[in-house]
Amino acid sequence: DCLGDHEITRAESELLSGKIATGTVVTKGMGCDTCQNSGFRGRLPLYEVIEIDPRLEKMLHEGHSEASLMAHVRERAPGILGDGVDKIHLGLTTAQEVARAVHEDAALPMPAAPVSEV
């Protein structure tokens, strides 16, 4: 009920890896009685689907680095940030929420690699 225009700041653009240019106008909940002045209603997931194509399967079996695996995956899929940017442009979420979710995800510790017994 309280959507209004919001201009993406330089800081927001940087948090979104430049995927939305500074000055781009998007919508944002401004706060009202319906949303209890939060600017939000409900929750919305950000998705990342990674298709295991023949090349990725081969790379996995050959033990390629995580960086090279991710480089291949990013050629074919936008990832969580890309999904979030799409949802910002659709007016479904805000730059701040996408940046928070993406940076929280990046801060999660990676599970330790299994140690093989000798």
Side-chain angles (χ1 to χ4, degrees):
D1 292 336
C2 60
L3 286 179
D5 288 342
H6 171 74
E7 192 171 302
I8 296 292
T9 66
R10 191 180 100 230
E12 290 168 337
S13 179
E14 288 173 5
L15 285 171
L16 297 172
S17 302
K19 300 285 185 186
I20 300 180
T22 301
T24 301
V25 177
V26 296
T27 58
K28 176 181 178 182
M30 303 308 211
C32 64
D33 289 340
T34 303
C35 67
Q36 299 173 339
N37 290 315
S38 70
F40 294 98
R41 179 184 66 213
R43 299 193 46 94
L44 183 69
L46 300 180
Y47 292 103
E48 177 172 18
V49 177
I50 298 173
E51 178 186 353
I52 307 295
D53 64 6
R55 181 173 168 216
L56 183 58
E57 183 177 16
K58 182 178 180 192
M59 292 172 73
L60 288 165
H61 286 295
E62 291 175 351
H64 284 250
S65 70
E66 181 180 353
S68 65
L69 294 170
M70 289 307 298
H72 172 70
V73 167
R74 288 295 162 252
E75 290 172 7
R76 302 177 50 100
I80 292 173
L81 177 58
D83 187 44
V85 167
D86 290 345
K87 288 176 177 162
I88 292 168
H89 284 299
L90 292 170
L92 299 175
T93 191
T94 65
Q96 298 86 351
E97 281 301 300
V98 171
R100 182 191 60 74
V102 168
H103 291 286
E104 280 181 4
D105 183 54
L108 293 175
M110 294 298 293
V115 178
S116 58
E117 295 183 25
V118 179

